[in-house]
Amino acid sequence: MKGFSKLTEGLIGQPMLEILSVVSAMEAAGQTVYRFEVGDSQFDAYPHVIEATKAALEQGHTKYVNSRGILLLRESICDYTESKLGFRPDVSQIAVMPANSIIDFMMRCVADPGDEVVFSDPGFASYIAVASYLGLKTVTVPVYEKNGFRLNPDDLLPRLSEKTRLIINTSPSNPTGGVMTQDEVQRLAEIVREQDVYLLSDEIYAENIYEGNHYSPSCLDKCRERTIILSGFSKGHSMSGWRLGYAIGPVDLIAKMSQMFETVYTCIPPFIQYAGISALNTPQDLIEKRNRQYKKLRDLMVAKLNEIPGITCAMPKGAIYAFANITGTGMTSKQFADFVLKKAGVALVPGTCFGPGGEGYVRLCYLRSEETIVAACRSMKIALRK
Amino acid sequence: MKGFSKLTEGLIGQPMLEILSVVSAMEAAGQTVYRFEVGDSQFDAYPHVIEATKAALEQGHTKYVNSRGILLLRESICDYTESKLGFRPDVSQIAVMPANSIIDFMMRCVADPGDEVVFSDPGFASYIAVASYLGLKTVTVPVYEKNGFRLNPDDLLPRLSEKTRLIINTSPSNPTGGVMTQDEVQRLAEIVREQDVYLLSDEIYAENIYEGNHYSPSCLDKCRERTIILSGFSKGHSMSGWRLGYAIGPVDLIAKMSQMFETVYTCIPPFIQYAGISALNTPQDLIEKRNRQYKKLRDLMVAKLNEIPGITCAMPKGAIYAFANITGTGMTSKQFADFVLKKAGVALVPGTCFGPGGEGYVRLCYLRSEETIVAACRSMKIALRK
């Protein structure tokens, strides 16, 4: 009677974490590895966030709390949303949970096995992994380097069907760094309204824009009808390991997602929720200062990549990744990633981890020291010259 | 194209949290409520655990880590298991995740919709809630007050079928406090070996035994073949809001569960994992001191309940709950719970939240102050006299 479920057959995990374990083994064997594979920052959470967490621990905020999130954090999220997007959601529209879990709970609440989920190719690996293990059909919309990797909303239309339950949009995009224009976002919002389909708007990188502004397709329905914003603290506030995010969406859907979260996790630790309140109150000049540092690292990474024969890298407008075109090396993405890991000690992610459309590209998270970026690019240049 | 998935139809959430929200509304309206509904302690985490968490935060243990758990914690769990159960699992047999999630991931990894899961009635509400939303068939084994609410392993046999994928056993038991004998646990282990079925052994209350000892059905296979131990820090170390637990099981199953956890959650915050290491190294005399306090509260709660006409309460040997027989009041469990909440300001959980076999009982978590216990029982006594 023992055995595994059908669900387990679709489990593929997170490819970045698989690379991470290979790299850890190399490091344990004494090798130096320049690591660009994980979408994480060299910067830590702000000191005031660490202090707020410690204070919450001392004050005994360590017991079970409401599975939707403590009211004070949900109200802070409403304030923050109002200041950033110009509308104030009701607290009943907010669910506090890890951002990655939002992808899972969202898909499970609106789609049954065999139903269709639509997103860009290349697109974030977790959309692929979650749809895969849930037995959902993935329908992809190609995005192109020549168009700044921006999704063209009208490309969605021929890909929608009776089976479509959810569109996922990501701007700024992981892995490409593409940022959609205001017109494009507006058109996207119109299409989902016309088609009456759910839209998961992944805005986890909304704070990480270096040129232009962030626009949200929640502009039309204010997350009351069909748009669900996914956001969190991992990227904008350098809190990757804290596992704190939030969804803003229609009241009835948020209720279902919260009930699922309650069944499976009970709640997010309250002292981590207090960290979130503190993070949302980070002075804007600190955020801007960090973004200027990020921009400098981006510029350096892209410049240094472009100095390597066989590699070209367009300037990404947002997020925290360089998405480099390596077709000039004559290698596939996977071959290139294996080659530079072995020959140059550089860990990065093959573009194909983000869908077949990522062939010919590799992703590097550039939130590293300038020295690491320079040394890694020099090492790749030497290895490729041989 | 909008709508909810079939999965959402089976969502019932956690009944205790529903009661909690009613109670919160009463308290917000200025009423005094004696609260026994949530399985939580009045005691906080040990000071050394709080300090270890703060130190980990200061040391920057705030980034993504291995989804199975950091090696140091998994090794500490191996040490702890060896000292408590007499065998040392391999680190590859350990997955660190919230204990509640283990119930979900375990069921999802071994059972498909329509498959059967077997556990006691009354039994822990989360087994019911998770099986319900996953579309699994629940097969229950009655347990009886006259037998100390202990599961008779031979009662399992007629309830196993070709569709059985998982047996869940809970000793000490939530909600009843029943603790199985060594012979019973041994027999259970033999049956699951003979039947070659997975056994989830929920040992979350293993530290909370006031008479006798804890025995684990992992005695035969050492979690290498079919037994999966569920444990965690919420109860034994008063860390309910931390959402930290662990599973010990067969290597291939732990790999699947970890991959699912990685897909949905990425990892447990590393600073919380350091809290776990600290908790596992709690001096035994502190654990024993707290258990003596717990035992004193148990004795008081049971004595005071037995002074109320219409109520009898057997002495539970373990866990943190009194499971009181209220049939003498002439009310159903639900009627009684509503009555004492309204008329005596006492919040408790109707036994039927733990299955139909809980009819005639109510559950009270007695980890409250002596004053609260005395006042609540007095208040119930007065209300019932009227």
Side-chain angles (χ1 to χ4, degrees):
Chain A
M1 295 191 276
K2 274 172 54 192
F4 296 134
S5 62
K6 291 199 189 79
L7 211 69
T8 60
E9 293 166 19
L11 282 172
I12 56 177
Q14 291 196 39
M16 281 73 84
L17 297 182
E18 201 179 301
I19 297 166
L20 191 147
S21 71
V22 175
V23 169
S24 300
M26 288 173 70
E27 288 181 333
Q31 286 181 263
T32 299
V33 185
Y34 305 110
R35 301 179 55 168
F36 298 88
E37 79 281 17
V38 179
D40 213 337
S41 172
Q42 59 157 335
F43 298 95
D44 200 358
Y46 294 103
H48 62 273
V49 173
I50 301 282
E51 290 308 314
T53 318
K54 286 160 60 183
L57 281 163
E58 275 166 16
Q59 287 155 22
H61 294 298
T62 58
K63 299 293 181 183
Y64 292 129
V65 290
N66 191 315
S67 57
R68 289 176 174 230
I70 59 175
L71 194 59
L72 207 56
L73 173 57
R74 286 189 288 154
E75 282 170 348
S76 297
I77 292 166
C78 292
D79 293 343
Y80 188 78
T81 306
E82 188 169 19
S83 75
K84 294 284 177 180
L85 300 179
F87 71 92
R88 185 178 181 81
D90 189 76
V91 285
S92 63
Q93 288 183 264
I94 312 285
V96 174
M97 54 177 80
N100 230 50
S101 306
I102 292 168
I103 300 167
D104 182 63
F105 289 122
M106 176 79 214
M107 287 198 199
R108 293 170 80 199
C109 279
V110 304
D112 290 303
D115 285 341
E116 297 175 6
V117 180
V118 183
F119 51 85
S120 68
D121 175 23
F124 179 40
S126 281
Y127 311 152
I128 303 170
V130 173
S132 166
Y133 99 98
L134 294 177
L136 305 181
K137 194 179 158 198
T138 291
V139 176
T140 55
V141 185
V143 291
Y144 304 102
E145 185 178 350
K146 63 181 183 230
N147 189 39
F149 292 110
R150 299 195 316 279
L151 183 105
N152 179 346
D154 288 300
D155 286 347
L156 285 168
L157 285 171
R159 291 174 174 85
L160 303 182
S161 82
E162 279 302 302
K163 289 244 157 208
T164 308
R165 289 291 168 273
L166 177 65
I167 295 168
I168 308 181
N169 190 63
T170 328
S171 178
S173 158
N174 175 6
T176 69
V179 178
M180 285 167 77
T181 66
Q182 187 169 18
D183 284 351
E184 286 163 345
V185 167
Q186 174 79 23
R187 178 73 186 124
L188 173 63
E190 286 164 7
I191 287 173
V192 296
R193 182 171 62 182
E194 284 158 18
Q195 302 293 325
D196 196 28
V197 63
Y198 287 117
L199 172 69
L200 180 65
S201 179
D202 185 342
E203 305 184 14
I204 193 90
Y205 296 101
E207 293 282 5
N208 305 112
I209 295 192
Y210 312 104
E211 274 115 39
N213 293 304
H214 170 66
Y215 299 101
S216 170
S218 59
C219 52
L220 286 191
D221 77 342
K222 300 177 170 55
C223 297
R224 287 184 199 136
E225 303 292 334
R226 59 191 63 81
T227 311
I228 299 88
I229 292 176
L230 175 160
S231 195
F233 299 84
S234 292
K235 314 299 178 178
H237 296 88
S238 316
M239 292 168 68
S240 61
W242 300 61
R243 310 286 73 223
L244 182 64
Y246 55 89
I248 312 173
V251 171
D252 56 354
L253 178 61
I254 289 294
K256 294 285 183 197
M257 289 172 67
S258 300
Q259 208 172 17
M260 198 178 279
F261 186 67
E262 175 178 306
T263 304
V264 181
Y265 295 92
T266 311
C267 62
I268 292 282
F271 53 88
I272 289 185
Q273 299 195 43
Y274 280 92
I277 296 168
S278 172
L280 289 178
N281 288 305
T282 301
Q284 193 56 31
D285 60 324
L286 286 183
I287 301 266
E288 282 167 14
K289 185 183 166 203
R290 199 164 273 195
N291 258 351
R292 282 194 301 275
Q293 293 170 307
Y294 284 10
K295 185 180 180 183
K296 203 175 158 197
L297 295 170
R298 175 197 68 159
D299 292 348
L300 179 68
M301 179 101 249
V302 170
K304 289 293 164 192
L305 284 169
N306 277 312
E307 286 175 10
I308 304 173
I311 299 181
T312 60
C313 187
M315 188 63 77
K317 287 196 161 58
I320 56 177
Y321 309 101
F323 201 59
N325 186 325
I326 52 91
T327 48
T329 64
M331 288 186 258
T332 66
S333 297
K334 181 76 171 67
Q335 285 167 344
F336 181 88
D338 290 343
F339 177 84
V340 296
L341 183 57
K342 273 189 205 125
K343 303 293 180 183
V346 174
L348 43 71
V349 185
T352 42
C353 286
F354 308 97
E359 185 55 87
Y361 296 88
V362 293
R363 191 195 80 170
L364 302 96
C365 176
Y366 52 70
L367 302 187
R368 307 294 184 259
S369 72
E370 294 186 20
E371 295 70 30
T372 301
I373 291 171
V374 170
C377 288
R378 187 191 305 126
S379 182
M380 284 195 281
K381 198 171 178 178
I382 293 168
L384 285 162
R385 207 182 275 156
K386 282 178 188 163
Chain B
M1 294 190 279
K2 273 171 54 190
F4 296 134
S5 62
K6 290 197 189 83
L7 212 67
T8 59
E9 293 165 20
L11 282 171
I12 56 177
Q14 292 196 39
M16 281 74 82
L17 297 181
E18 202 179 301
I19 298 167
L20 192 147
S21 71
V22 175
V23 170
S24 300
M26 288 173 70
E27 288 181 332
Q31 286 181 260
T32 299
V33 184
Y34 304 110
R35 300 178 55 170
F36 298 88
E37 79 282 17
V38 179
D40 213 339
S41 173
Q42 59 156 336
F43 299 94
D44 201 358
Y46 294 104
H48 62 273
V49 173
I50 302 281
E51 289 310 313
T53 317
K54 286 161 59 183
L57 281 162
E58 274 166 17
Q59 288 156 20
H61 294 298
T62 57
K63 300 293 180 182
Y64 292 128
V65 289
N66 191 313
S67 56
R68 289 176 176 232
I70 58 175
L71 194 58
L72 208 56
L73 174 57
R74 285 188 289 155
E75 282 171 347
S76 297
I77 291 166
C78 292
D79 293 342
Y80 188 78
T81 305
E82 189 170 15
S83 75
K84 294 285 176 180
L85 299 180
F87 72 93
R88 186 179 180 82
D90 189 76
V91 285
S92 63
Q93 289 182 262
I94 311 285
V96 174
M97 53 178 79
N100 229 50
S101 306
I102 292 168
I103 299 166
D104 182 64
F105 289 122
M106 175 78 214
M107 286 197 200
R108 292 170 78 199
C109 279
V110 304
D112 290 302
D115 285 342
E116 296 175 5
V117 180
V118 184
F119 51 85
S120 68
D121 175 22
F124 179 40
S126 281
Y127 311 151
I128 303 170
V130 173
S132 166
Y133 99 99
L134 294 178
L136 305 181
K137 193 179 160 200
T138 291
V139 177
T140 54
V141 185
V143 290
Y144 304 102
E145 184 178 351
K146 62 180 183 225
N147 189 39
F149 291 111
R150 298 194 317 277
L151 183 105
N152 179 347
D154 288 300
D155 286 348
L156 286 168
L157 286 170
R159 291 174 174 86
L160 304 182
S161 82
E162 279 301 302
K163 289 243 158 205
T164 309
R165 289 290 167 272
L166 178 64
I167 295 168
I168 308 182
N169 190 62
T170 329
S171 178
S173 158
N174 175 5
T176 69
V179 178
M180 284 166 78
T181 66
Q182 187 168 17
D183 284 350
E184 286 163 345
V185 167
Q186 175 78 22
R187 177 74 188 126
L188 172 64
E190 285 164 6
I191 287 173
V192 295
R193 183 172 63 183
E194 283 158 20
Q195 301 294 323
D196 196 28
V197 62
Y198 287 116
L199 171 68
L200 180 64
S201 179
D202 185 342
E203 304 182 15
I204 193 89
Y205 297 101
E207 293 282 6
N208 306 112
I209 294 192
Y210 312 103
E211 273 114 40
N213 294 303
H214 171 66
Y215 299 101
S216 170
S218 60
C219 52
L220 287 190
D221 77 340
K222 299 179 171 53
C223 296
R224 288 185 198 136
E225 304 293 334
R226 60 190 64 79
T227 310
I228 300 87
I229 291 176
L230 176 160
S231 195
F233 299 84
S234 292
K235 314 299 177 177
H237 296 89
S238 316
M239 292 168 68
S240 61
W242 301 61
R243 309 287 73 221
L244 181 64
Y246 55 88
I248 313 173
V251 171
D252 55 353
L253 177 62
I254 289 294
K256 293 286 183 197
M257 288 172 67
S258 299
Q259 208 171 19
M260 197 177 279
F261 185 66
E262 176 178 307
T263 304
V264 180
Y265 215 94
T266 311
C267 62
I268 292 283
F271 53 88
I272 288 184
Q273 299 194 43
Y274 280 91
I277 295 168
S278 171
L280 288 178
N281 288 305
T282 301
Q284 194 56 30
D285 60 323
L286 285 183
I287 301 266
E288 283 167 13
K289 184 182 167 203
R290 199 164 273 194
N291 259 352
R292 281 195 300 274
Q293 293 170 306
Y294 284 11
K295 186 180 178 184
K296 202 174 160 196
L297 295 171
R298 175 197 68 158
D299 293 347
L300 179 68
M301 179 100 247
V302 170
K304 289 293 164 192
L305 284 169
N306 277 311
E307 286 176 11
I308 304 173
I311 299 182
T312 60
C313 187
M315 187 64 75
K317 286 195 161 57
I320 57 177
Y321 309 102
F323 201 58
N325 186 325
I326 52 89
T327 48
T329 64
M331 287 186 257
T332 66
S333 297
K334 181 79 171 67
Q335 285 168 342
F336 182 88
D338 290 344
F339 177 83
V340 295
L341 183 57
K342 275 189 205 127
K343 304 292 180 183
V346 174
L348 43 72
V349 185
T352 42
C353 287
F354 307 96
E359 184 55 88
Y361 296 89
V362 293
R363 191 195 79 170
L364 302 96
C365 176
Y366 51 72
L367 303 187
R368 306 294 184 257
S369 72
E370 294 186 21
E371 295 69 32
T372 301
I373 291 171
V374 170
C377 288
R378 187 190 304 126
S379 183
M380 284 194 282
K381 199 170 177 177
I382 293 167
L384 284 162
R385 207 181 275 155
K386 280 176 190 163

